[in-house]
Amino acid sequence: YNSKLVKLLNDAIESMKEAYPSVGARIVGGPEIAVGNASRIKKDSILAIALSIVLITLLVIYSISSVRNLLLIFLSIGWGWLFSLGAISLLGGEVSIIVVGISSVILGIAVNYPLHLIVHMSQTESIRDAIKDIMLPLVIGNITTVGAFLTLIPLQSVALRDLGIFASLLLIGTIVFVLIYLPHLLKKGEGAVEEHKSKLLNRIAALSPERNRVVVAAVLLISLPL
């Protein structure tokens, strides 16, 4: 409603300027600020989604170097995304583009589910063994993460409540696809990480910046002006 009101006021100002060129007018107030903030958040949300997809894609390409497995990873996330939107639609609810944009941070969590199965598949004799090995940690991790987002639902904030619902359903849909459908699409050995890339990733994962006094001091200094 605020956007419609602001549009009507802008149209009225334009009409007035045409009739009285020497007269000027400007919109001030809560509705105009709300519309401006919403527009800014939508643009930032689209940028956040684009950046997260690009960064995740580059990391996966570097790690696996398999176009097929890359497509399977995004198929898993896409299925979870559609599952979430479909469930919300069936429940009669609505979700704004702002919430969808904020939930782009969930992509970093959701991508772990298919990635774990694909990489582990290259290290086991059969897909059954791979599923047995990773099912318990994946399901437990999914339950704890979904539970954390479900705690947002009782809050009074509509945006946070919608975020909790959308993120929870997205993660549930992704884990369902990974455990039920993805195993039928995988081929043994495709998820192997090349040795030199594996060493580099292990070195990065082994870094502990929180234990480095120089890094901690630099972060504190940067944070003080904020």
Side-chain angles (χ1 to χ4, degrees):
Y1 294 105
N2 286 335
S3 59
K4 292 181 180 179
L5 174 61
V6 171
K7 184 179 183 303
L8 289 174
L9 291 173
N10 284 325
D11 292 342
I13 291 174
E14 292 299 324
S15 300
M16 183 195 68
K17 287 181 178 180
E18 292 178 1
Y20 306 98
S22 60
V23 179
R26 184 177 179 182
I27 303 173
V28 178
E32 193 273 339
I33 295 174
V35 171
N37 289 339
S39 177
R40 181 73 266 172
I41 292 174
K42 287 180 181 179
K43 292 179 181 178
D44 291 345
S45 298
I46 295 173
L47 178 61
I49 293 174
L51 288 175
S52 61
I53 291 175
V54 169
L55 292 175
I56 291 173
T57 302
L58 291 176
L59 179 60
V60 173
I61 289 176
Y62 176 80
S63 303
I64 298 179
S65 302
S66 171
V67 176
R68 185 174 185 275
N69 284 335
L70 178 65
L71 293 176
L72 289 177
I73 289 173
F74 282 101
L75 177 62
S76 303
I77 299 174
W79 198 92
W81 200 294
L82 292 176
F83 175 86
S84 179
L85 293 176
I88 292 174
S89 178
L90 289 175
L91 294 174
E94 297 180 351
V95 60
S96 68
I97 186 63
I98 297 175
V99 172
V100 176
I102 296 174
S103 65
S104 62
V105 298
I106 313 304
L107 295 179
I109 301 174
V111 74
N112 287 319
Y113 301 152
L115 188 59
H116 274 305
L117 180 59
I118 290 173
V119 173
H120 199 75
M121 180 61 187
S122 65
Q123 303 172 355
T124 55
E125 295 297 329
S126 67
I127 188 63
R128 291 180 181 273
D129 294 334
I131 294 176
K132 287 180 181 178
D133 291 341
I134 70 169
M135 176 173 285
L136 184 60
L138 274 186
V139 172
I140 292 177
N142 180 263
I143 291 174
T144 55
T145 307
V146 169
F149 282 109
L150 288 177
T151 59
L152 298 175
I153 296 178
L155 301 181
Q156 297 296 322
S157 173
V158 177
L160 289 177
R161 184 168 66 245
D162 290 346
L163 174 62
I165 296 173
F166 182 81
S168 300
L169 291 173
L170 189 153
L171 293 176
I172 292 172
T174 302
I175 195 71
V176 168
F177 184 90
V178 169
L179 294 179
I180 296 179
Y181 301 107
L182 186 59
H184 300 284
L185 304 175
L186 291 177
K187 294 181 180 179
K188 191 179 184 310
E190 282 191 338
V193 180
E194 297 177 14
E195 185 177 355
H196 69 282
K197 295 180 179 179
S198 178
K199 290 181 179 179
L200 177 60
L201 293 174
N202 288 334
R203 288 178 181 177
I204 296 174
L207 294 177
S208 300
E210 72 279 2
R211 298 179 181 178
N212 190 310
R213 295 182 179 180
V214 176
V215 174
V216 173
V219 172
L220 289 176
L221 290 174
I222 296 173
S223 303
L224 287 178
L226 303 177

